[in-house]
Amino acid sequence: EHGSFGRAAATLGMTQPALSRSIKLLERAAGGALFVRSAQGVTPSDQGRLLIARARDLVRAADEFDRAFVRRGGPGAGQVVVGAGPYPAETIVPAAVARFATAHPQLRVRVVQREWDDLLRLLRAREVDFFVGEFSTFEGEPDLDIAPLTPHQVYFVARRGHPLRRKAAVTAEHTFDYPFVALSRHPPRVLEPMLAARRGQDAARHARPFPAIESGTLSAVKRIIADSDAIAALPLPPVAEDVEHGRLVVLGTEPWMSLRYAIVGLAGRDPGAAARSLAELVREEEAKLTRDEARLAARLVPEPARRALAARTEVPAGE
């Protein structure tokens, strides 16, 4: 993982000579070199990769065995590991964890924030009990138990003095003259219509990368758009205070700009009473967030933008 005995030793809280001695003893027991040392760093040998893969399987099996018994103690004992996409990690997951920790003080909760494809890998490796994240890219996978949550509209957000502030209702086509900031990777269901809207634009606008900036934290995204002409697509709750205090403004949106999250677990695998209890709190917090968003939209989204969104989402007669 670290490519260096020194960094690995520091992570393990031991000296490098002690780690090197342990590795040598392991290599002697295995009957061959487990790592290849070079000026570029340390990498596993073929035998080392085999040992690492088998060791990880054994550790996961031991953890599953241990937790299967701990789960019998109910929601007040053991550990829950929950994965979260960038937006849930800023909103419903911490709110649910706070309530859960108060109700079950003996439980250890670990929140792992990743992109949706990383979360799926961690779930299948049984390194998280469930996750809350984008599910559109693997909807219908037979090994997954997917419980969709309410979609949440996202909006183009920028600094208060942004040039687009003068437009009545900003759409995707209006944003291409400015850098776009992303908190997470856009799923294909959002990326494809965004790029389709850019086709046919002049070469200069078409050449700008999309997104131009990627940042892993909401605070960094808000700082970037507050200090530049960059634009981000964000839900209302995390930016409500900034909008109310005049630091940021809501410009507009598109019908297809929404968050589609779900609580995702492994089909046929019982995560235990503790994880089920936390998942239920996530659902409750998501319902609260939905109500809050409706109130915020009425207060913070300009009337022309709300009318434009309503017009674009109307279902034609007969459909």
Side-chain angles (χ1 to χ4, degrees), residues 155-240:
Y155 299 82
F156 296 120
V157 180
R159 64 180 179 88
R160 63 179 298 180
H162 197 280
L164 288 179
R165 175 72 186 275
R166 295 187 291 271
K167 285 196 172 292
V170 172
T171 62
E173 289 84 352
H174 298 132
T175 68
F176 299 134
D177 287 327
Y178 307 95
F180 204 92
V181 188
L183 175 59
S184 62
R185 289 203 306 277
H186 295 291
R189 64 177 183 81
V190 173
L191 183 61
E192 289 169 2
M194 190 73 180
L195 295 180
R198 191 170 67 163
R199 296 188 188 106
Q201 305 290 333
D202 60 65
R205 301 175 88 197
H206 189 76
R208 187 188 295 276
F210 180 86
I213 305 168
E214 292 186 15
S215 181
T217 65
L218 180 62
S219 60
V221 171
K222 292 197 291 185
R223 179 67 182 271
I224 291 168
I225 62 177
D227 293 343
S228 70
D229 281 343
I231 297 171
L234 299 169
L236 292 177
V239 298

Side-chain angles (χ1 to χ4, degrees), residues 4-313:
S4 160
F5 279 108
R7 288 192 293 270
T11 300
L12 292 168
M14 60 194 303
T15 65
Q16 182 173 338
L19 177 59
S20 296
R21 285 194 297 271
S22 295
I23 295 296
K24 287 179 181 177
L25 288 172
L26 185 59
E27 288 179 326
R28 188 179 305 162
L34 300 176
F35 294 94
V36 178
R37 289 91 165 161
S38 70
Q40 287 71 42
V42 181
T43 57
S45 65
D46 289 342
Q47 187 175 1
R49 279 191 287 271
L50 177 62
L51 183 142
I52 290 168
R54 293 296 302 276
R56 283 177 171 158
D57 288 342
L58 289 170
V59 169
R60 282 196 293 267
D63 184 57
E64 283 287 302
F65 180 82
D66 179 64
R67 291 170 68 185
F69 283 91
V70 171
R71 285 175 191 141
R72 295 175 184 271
Q79 172 180 261
V80 175
V81 184
V82 55
Y87 290 116
E90 298 274 359
T91 53
I92 58 177
V93 170
V97 167
R99 291 175 58 193
F100 190 62
T102 301
H104 308 290
Q106 294 181 340
L107 177 73
R108 179 186 179 194
V109 182
R110 188 158 64 91
V111 179
V112 180
Q113 180 178 333
R114 296 286 193 279
E115 297 284 0
W116 73 86
D117 48 354
D118 289 331
L119 291 172
L120 181 58
R121 177 182 57 80
L122 293 175
L123 178 70
R124 284 174 167 158
R126 291 171 170 75
E127 294 180 25
V128 297
D129 293 304
F130 67 91
F131 72 82
V132 186
E134 174 71 35
F135 70 99
S136 60
T137 58
F138 45 81
E139 198 170 5
E141 294 279 347
D143 66 327
L144 301 179
D145 180 13
I146 299 175
L149 300 173
T150 304
H152 299 277
Q153 192 71 26
V154 298
Y155 299 82
F156 296 120
V157 180
R159 64 180 179 88
R160 63 179 298 180
H162 197 280
L164 288 179
R165 175 72 186 275
R166 295 187 291 271
K167 285 196 172 292
V170 172
T171 62
E173 289 84 352
H174 298 132
T175 68
F176 299 134
D177 287 327
Y178 307 95
F180 204 92
V181 188
L183 175 59
S184 62
R185 289 203 306 277
H186 295 291
R189 64 177 183 81
V190 173
L191 183 61
E192 289 169 2
M194 190 73 180
L195 295 180
R198 191 170 67 163
R199 296 188 188 106
Q201 305 290 333
D202 60 65
R205 301 175 88 197
H206 189 76
R208 187 188 295 276
F210 180 86
I213 305 168
E214 292 186 15
S215 181
T217 65
L218 180 62
S219 60
V221 171
K222 292 197 291 185
R223 179 67 182 271
I224 291 168
I225 62 177
D227 293 343
S228 70
D229 281 343
I231 297 171
L234 299 169
L236 292 177
V239 298
E241 184 177 348
D242 299 273
V243 175
E244 289 172 333
H245 287 81
R247 292 186 290 268
L248 300 175
V249 293
V250 177
L251 300 174
T253 187
E254 294 279 6
W256 39 264
M257 285 175 50
S258 64
L259 305 178
R260 288 186 60 202
Y261 287 133
I263 297 175
V264 184
L266 285 177
R269 177 186 180 232
D270 180 8
R276 291 196 304 273
S277 178
L278 179 56
E280 184 56 36
L281 289 176
V282 169
R283 291 186 185 91
E284 293 177 9
E285 291 300 326
E286 194 270 340
K288 291 181 185 177
L289 186 68
T290 301
R291 294 192 293 270
D292 290 342
E293 283 180 339
R295 290 191 290 267
L296 291 173
R299 191 167 74 246
L300 303 180
V301 179
E303 179 62 26
R306 279 187 279 137
R307 286 200 305 267
L309 176 62
R312 293 196 297 273
T313 53

